[in-house]
């Protein structure tokens, strides 16, 4: 079993859950959770250990509730096609060219995450903002790439039928 499948199973990602996760509301509210998470961590300077309540709430939202709250959708929007493509990637159906680009985007996203971590640890704004911008841009690009993967898979499937 691949690491991707382990992650998907850890989040309880069934076919139905993937369809719910593809809902644009699910996608965009996950992006909206990034600054909320950052604010929750930053708030430790103001409210001390109570900041963990905010961090916990955001993590529950991101890791469990978000992918179950919204209704299932078909791949009719940019965000939905991206998530359907992500599912294909998790299933090992991504060609090598896609996997290479996706790995590069994940590495760049991890650089953004490292900057965010630095900014939140040191309570320093510039690495936090730069890291957030890098992370969000990489994630948007990944979703776009996943959408391209989905469309190519759909075209190949239709040609074989």
């Amino acid at each position: 079993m691949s690491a991707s499948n382990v992650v998907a199973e850890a989040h309880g990602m069934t076919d139905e859950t993937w369809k719910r996760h593809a809902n644009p509301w699910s996608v965009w509210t996950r992006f909206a959770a990034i600054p909320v998470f950052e604010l929750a961590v930053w708030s430790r300077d103001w409210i001390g250990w109570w900041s963990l309540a905010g961090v916990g709430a955001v993590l529950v939202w991101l890791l469990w509730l978000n992918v179950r709250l919204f209704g299932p959708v078909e791949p009719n929007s940019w965000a939905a096609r991206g998530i359907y493509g992500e599912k294909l990637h998790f299933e090992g159906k991504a060609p090598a060219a896609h996997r290479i680009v996706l790995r590069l985007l994940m590495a760049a996203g991890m650089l953004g995450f490292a900057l965010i971590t630095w900014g939140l640890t040191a309570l320093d704004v510039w690495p936090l903002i730069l890291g957030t911008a890098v992370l969000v841009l990489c994630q948007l690009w990944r979703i776009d790439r996943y959408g391209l993967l989905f469309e190519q898979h759909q075209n190949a499937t239709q040609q074989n039928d």
Side-chain angles (χ1 to χ4, degrees):
M1 180 179 294
S2 73
S4 299
N5 289 337
V6 170
V7 171
E9 284 188 18
H11 289 92
M13 297 297 286
T14 63
D15 284 340
E16 179 69 16
T17 310
W18 275 107
K19 289 179 181 180
R20 290 175 174 276
H21 180 42
N23 188 311
W25 280 99
S26 174
V27 173
W28 297 118
T29 57
R30 288 177 70 87
F31 277 102
I34 294 169
V36 174
F37 175 80
E38 293 169 346
L39 180 62
V41 173
W42 195 287
S43 72
R44 76 182 190 279
D45 194 40
W46 311 314
I47 59 175
W49 288 104
W50 285 103
S51 64
L52 292 177
V55 170
V58 173
L59 290 177
V60 167
W61 170 258
L62 288 173
L63 299 177
W64 192 82
L65 187 58
N66 178 278
V67 295
R68 289 165 177 79
L69 183 65
F70 302 104
V73 297
E74 295 301 318
N76 299 326
S77 70
W78 175 84
R81 285 189 300 276
I83 301 304
Y84 274 79
E86 182 181 18
K87 183 178 186 285
L88 291 172
H89 175 77
F90 272 74
E91 293 171 346
K93 297 178 182 174
H98 279 283
R99 290 192 309 268
I100 291 168
V101 172
L102 290 167
R103 285 182 184 137
L104 289 171
L105 290 170
M106 283 189 220
M110 292 304 293
L111 173 64
F113 185 76
L115 287 167
I116 291 169
T117 302
W118 171 18
L120 290 174
T121 302
L123 295 177
D124 197 352
V125 173
W126 82 261
L128 179 64
I129 292 172
L130 179 60
T132 302
V134 169
L135 181 71
V136 168
L137 289 173
C138 288
Q139 186 63 12
L140 288 170
W141 196 350
R142 280 182 60 220
I143 292 171
D144 192 63
R145 190 69 186 203
Y146 284 138
L148 179 62
L149 168 62
F150 176 77
E151 290 170 359
Q152 289 174 347
H153 186 267
Q154 289 297 100
N155 291 339
T157 303
Q158 289 172 355
Q159 288 176 357
N160 291 335
D161 288 342

